[in-house]
Amino acid sequence: MNTTDDGTLPAADLHEVEAVNSAKRRQPLYAPRRKIFPKRAEGNFRRFKWLVMAITLTIYYVTPWLRWDRGDYAPDQAVLLDLANRRFYFFFIEIWPQEFYYVAGLLVMAGVGLFLITSTVGRAWCGYACPQTVWVDLFLVVERAIEGDRNARMKLDAAPWSADKLVKRVSKHALWLLIGVATGGAWIFYFADAPTLLGDVIHLQAPMVAYATIALLTATTYTFGGLMREQVCTYMCPWPRIQAAMLDEHSLTVTYNDWRGEPRGRHAKKAITAGVPQGDCVDCNACVVVCPMGIDIRDGQQLECITCALCIDACDNVMDKLGRERGLISYTTLADYNANMNLAAPEGRLDPTRVRDSITGRFVSAIRHTTWRSVLRPRTLVYFVVWAGIGLAMLTVLSLRAPIGINVLHDRNPLYVLLSDGSIQNGYDVKILNMTTQPQDMVFSISGLPGATVTTSGANDVGGSTLQLAVEPDLVLPLRVYVKAPPSEATGQIDFTMTITNADGTVSASTPVRFETPQD
C-alpha cells in the first residue's frame, strides 16, 4: 500500500462515509407496537361491513343448531363433522371417508375463488369476510361501547389508573373473553350433537378435548382479535405477500386519486387567490383516523392495506361537506388511474386544473371512471369458468352417486387354495356400504366365473352364486367371502365381477375382481 512521506494515506484513499447500519444509528429489529385507535366510519362501505359481519357471525354461531331430518338412523344436525363415525353431514349431503375428493374439490374451489376475488376486486376477502377482520370489528364494537370513540379511547389510554379506568378495562376484556369462549364453544358444536354436547360441557361431562379446544380458541380469538389486531394481517398472514401476483392493471383496489387531490392543503381559498393550483384534498386526515391498519392511503398501495374502504366513506363525507364530487378516494383500476394521471400531469407535474372544465368546474370528458365492466376480462372469466366447472362437476358426480357400494380386497397369502376335490378357492375381504338412512336387504352376487359358488365365513349353506344380506343404515358391513370354482383349463388370473343390489333391484354397485388359479 502506498503512503505519503509522513506515513499517512493519500486523500484519494480516504472516504467520507458512515455505515448504514452503524451501532449508533441501528434501529431495533422488532419495534414495539404503537396502538391504533380507529374512529368509527359512516357510509355505504361501513354499512356493507356491518351486513357482512352480521351474516358471517350468524352463520358461524347458528349453523350447529340447525336441524335436518334424516330419519331414525342418522343424526338430525344439519352440519356435522362426525369424526367418531367418519362422516360429514351437510344438509342433504353425506360424505364418506372414501369420498374425501369432495373435500379436496371444495378446497380447490376456495383457492380458485380467492384468486378470482383478488384479481377482480383486490383484497375484498381481507377487508370484509376474513375471520380476523370480522372478529376485530366485533371486538371494536365492544371497545367503543365501553370506552367511547377514538378521542375518548386515546384520552383513557393516556390517563393514570383510576377506578373508572379499571372498571372499563376489566369490562372490556371480560367481554372479549366471553366472545372468545363463545367462539371456541361454537366450534366444538360442529363435531357432535350441539344440544347434547352443550349439556355435557355445562355439567363437566364432556371429553377433555372439548375443553382444550374451547381454551385454545378462546386464547387465539382474544389475542388475535383484541390484542394483536393489525399485526396479524401485517406479519402473520401470507396473503398480502401473495396477492401481488394475483393483481393486474385492471384489478379494483382502493386508491387515492392524487390526480385530482394534489397539491393538497387546508387553506384552499388562500392558495387559489394567490394563483397556486389547489387539489381537492384538504389534508383533513379523515381517511387516516378511520383506518384500522393505521396507514395513510395517500401514500399509495401498501402491504398493510386490507381494502376495507372505510377511508372512502370518510373522504366522501368530507367531499359532501365541501360540495365536491365524491371519489377522491375510490375503488379504481391501475389502468384508469394511470390514464387520469397522464391527463393531469403530462409533464410529470400535477395540475388539477387540467382535469376540470374552467367554466363549469366539472371533470372533463376525458377523465376515465371505473365501472363494473372493468372486471369483465379474459382472466377473470377463465377463473370463473374453472371455479364453476369444478363445482358443477362435483354436483354432477354427487347426484349420480349410488347410495350403496362395495369394496373388495383379495387375500395376499395364500392367493388361492387347492381343495381336496380339485376345485380352487380364493378368499376376499368385502365391505358392503349402505349410504342410506334406512336398513337395506341386499343381494350379493358374482358373475363372469362359470360354475363358481360363494360362501361367507361360518356359513352353513352349501354355496351358490348369491348371498342374502341385511345391512344396517349408514353403516359398512364387513364380510369374509370365499369364492370356489371348479377345475379349469385357464391358468393365472381370471377376471369376474362382484355385485351388490338392493332388494327391489333398483340400485346396484359392482366392482371387478380377480380370481387366482395355479400357473403352469
Side-chain angles (χ1 to χ4, degrees), residues 445-452 465 483 485 494-499 513 515:
S445 61
I446 58 175
S447 59
L449 193 61
S465 60
V483 176
I494 303 175
D495 294 330
F496 71 105
T497 303
M498 289 185 178
T499 303
V513 188
F515 188 83

Side-chain angles (χ1 to χ4, degrees), residues 58 109 117 174 185 198 361 410:
T58 300
M109 284 188 68
I117 293 294
L198 177 61
H410 193 288

Side-chain angles (χ1 to χ4, degrees), residues 11 16 45 122 223 258 266 286 320 354 356 359 362 375 401 460 477 506:
E16 294 295 333
F45 290 104
T223 302
D258 48 2
R266 299 189 177 186
D320 289 343
R354 294 177 178 272
R356 293 186 180 276
I359 300 177
R362 296 184 177 277
V375 302
R401 179 183 65 173
N460 296 321
L477 175 65
T506 56

Side-chain angles (χ1 to χ4, degrees), residues 123-145:
R123 292 177 63 183
W125 163 260
C126 300
Y128 301 99
C130 174
Q132 174 67 15
T133 298
V134 172
W135 263 270
V136 166
D137 268 356
L138 180 60
F139 277 46
L140 280 173
V141 169
V142 173
E143 186 172 87
R144 291 193 184 101

Side-chain angles (χ1 to χ4, degrees), residues 203-414:
H203 295 94
L204 302 181
Q205 297 177 349
M208 282 303 300
V209 67
Y211 297 106
T213 301
I214 293 175
L216 177 62
L217 290 181
T218 298
T220 54
T221 304
Y222 172 79
T223 302
F224 293 164
L227 304 181
M228 297 184 67
R229 294 185 179 176
E230 78 286 345
Q231 291 181 304
V232 175
C233 303
T234 303
Y235 300 111
M236 298 177 62
C237 181
W239 189 242
R241 294 155 180 84
I242 298 174
Q243 68 152 347
M246 297 292 102
L247 298 175
D248 59 29
E249 64 275 14
H250 299 290
S251 301
L252 288 176
T253 56
V254 175
T255 306
Y256 168 62
N257 296 305
D258 48 2
W259 52 267
R260 60 167 284 195
E262 299 294 329
R264 72 184 77 161
R266 299 189 177 186
H267 305 287
K269 291 183 178 179
K270 292 182 179 180
I272 295 174
T273 302
V276 179
Q278 185 70 31
D280 285 347
C281 179
V282 294
D283 205 17
C284 63
N285 291 322
C287 55
V288 178
V289 296
V290 300
C291 180
M293 300 300 294
I295 66 171
D296 188 343
I297 191 62
R298 295 172 296 180
D299 293 336
Q301 290 298 314
Q302 298 156 73
L303 176 145
E304 294 85 0
C305 180
I306 59 173
T307 67
C308 62
L310 296 182
C311 54
I312 297 179
D313 283 338
C315 188
D316 283 348
N317 291 334
V318 173
M319 292 296 105
D320 289 343
K321 294 177 181 179
L322 296 175
R324 302 177 185 176
E325 299 92 336
R326 290 187 167 198
L328 177 57
I329 302 175
S330 65
Y331 269 107
T332 189
T333 66
L334 181 60
D336 291 341
Y337 170 82
N338 287 337
N340 293 336
M341 279 294 292
N342 290 334
L343 183 65
E347 299 176 355
R349 183 179 179 181
L350 278 172
D351 184 357
T353 61
R354 294 177 178 272
V355 299
R356 293 186 180 276
D357 186 279
S358 59
I359 300 177
T360 64
R362 296 184 177 277
F363 290 122
V364 297
S365 59
I367 288 293
R368 293 174 59 172
H369 299 280
T370 301
T371 65
W372 61 270
R373 295 182 180 87
S374 301
V375 302
L376 296 180
R377 57 190 192 278
R379 180 180 180 182
T380 56
L381 293 177
V382 168
Y383 279 142
F384 178 77
V385 169
V386 172
W387 179 83
I390 296 173
L392 290 175
M394 289 199 301
L395 287 176
T396 301
V397 173
L398 190 63
S399 63
L400 298 177
R401 179 183 65 173
I404 61 176
I406 179 172
N407 295 324
V408 180
L409 182 63
H410 193 288
D411 285 350
R412 291 188 175 184
N413 188 23

